[in-house]
Amino acid sequence: MTAAEFEAVRPLLNISDDRIEAARLALVEGRTLQAIGDQFGWSRQAVGDAVSVVWKKLEDYRESQRVAANAGALLPPGWEQVTLIAPSHLIAKFRGEIAQASPQPESKKAAAPRTKRKE
C-alpha cells in the first residue's frame, strides 16, 4: 500500500490511533507484524487484525473510486461527466449555458375542459 493510499483511507478508519499507526508500519513501511507487536506490546495477531481492518477499508475505498469513475456509463448518449474548477461567476455562467442547451422536459398538456353530454 502506498503512503498516499493509506492517507486517503485514514479518515475513514474507526479504530484507535495506535492501531492505525501499527497498520501503517506494516502496510506502508513493510515492517513485520512481530516487530510492530514488540514495539506496541501486542501479539502478532493483534497487529494483523489492525492491518486487516485497514486493508478492508482500502478495498472499499478502491471500489467506491471505481464506481465513481464508471458513473459516466449511466449518462445519456452524447453526455460526458467532467469536474470543473473555475471562478464562481464562470461556473454560474456555465450552468446557465448548460440549462439553455439541455433539452427541457416536456410539460404535461393541460387537460381539455370537460363538457356535459346530453343524454
Side-chain angles (χ1 to χ4, degrees), residues 106-112:
E106 293 184 31
S107 60
K108 294 182 180 178
K109 294 181 180 178

Side-chain angles (χ1 to χ4, degrees), residues 45-116:
Q45 181 64 45
V47 177
D49 290 346
V51 167
S52 293
V53 167
V54 174
W55 192 257
K56 172 68 172 116
K57 195 57 74 172
L58 176 65
E59 289 174 341
D60 294 346
Y61 174 79
R62 286 177 174 165
E63 179 60 22
S64 71
Q65 295 300 303
R66 277 192 290 276
V67 168
N70 292 329
L74 304 175
L75 296 174
W79 285 71
E80 293 182 39
Q81 179 178 341
V82 298
T83 300
L84 176 65
I85 300 172
S88 298
H89 71 280
L90 292 179
I91 291 176
K93 180 179 177 183
F94 179 71
R95 285 183 176 146
E97 289 178 12
I98 291 293
Q100 288 177 346
S102 299
Q104 301 299 315
E106 293 184 31
S107 60
K108 294 182 180 178
K109 294 181 180 178
R114 290 187 166 186
T115 57
K116 289 187 177 180

Side-chain angles (χ1 to χ4, degrees), residues 11-57:
L12 307 174
L13 299 171
N14 192 23
I15 58 177
S16 71
D17 290 341
D18 284 349
R19 289 179 51 137
I20 292 171
E21 179 60 17
R24 188 189 67 74
L25 291 171
L27 293 168
V28 176
E29 295 187 16
R31 294 192 42 202
T32 67
L33 300 183
Q34 184 65 55
I36 298 165
D38 291 345
Q39 177 181 337
F40 285 89
W42 302 345
S43 67
R44 285 184 310 156
Q45 181 64 45
V47 177
D49 290 346
V51 167
S52 293
V53 167
V54 174
W55 192 257
K56 172 68 172 116
K57 195 57 74 172

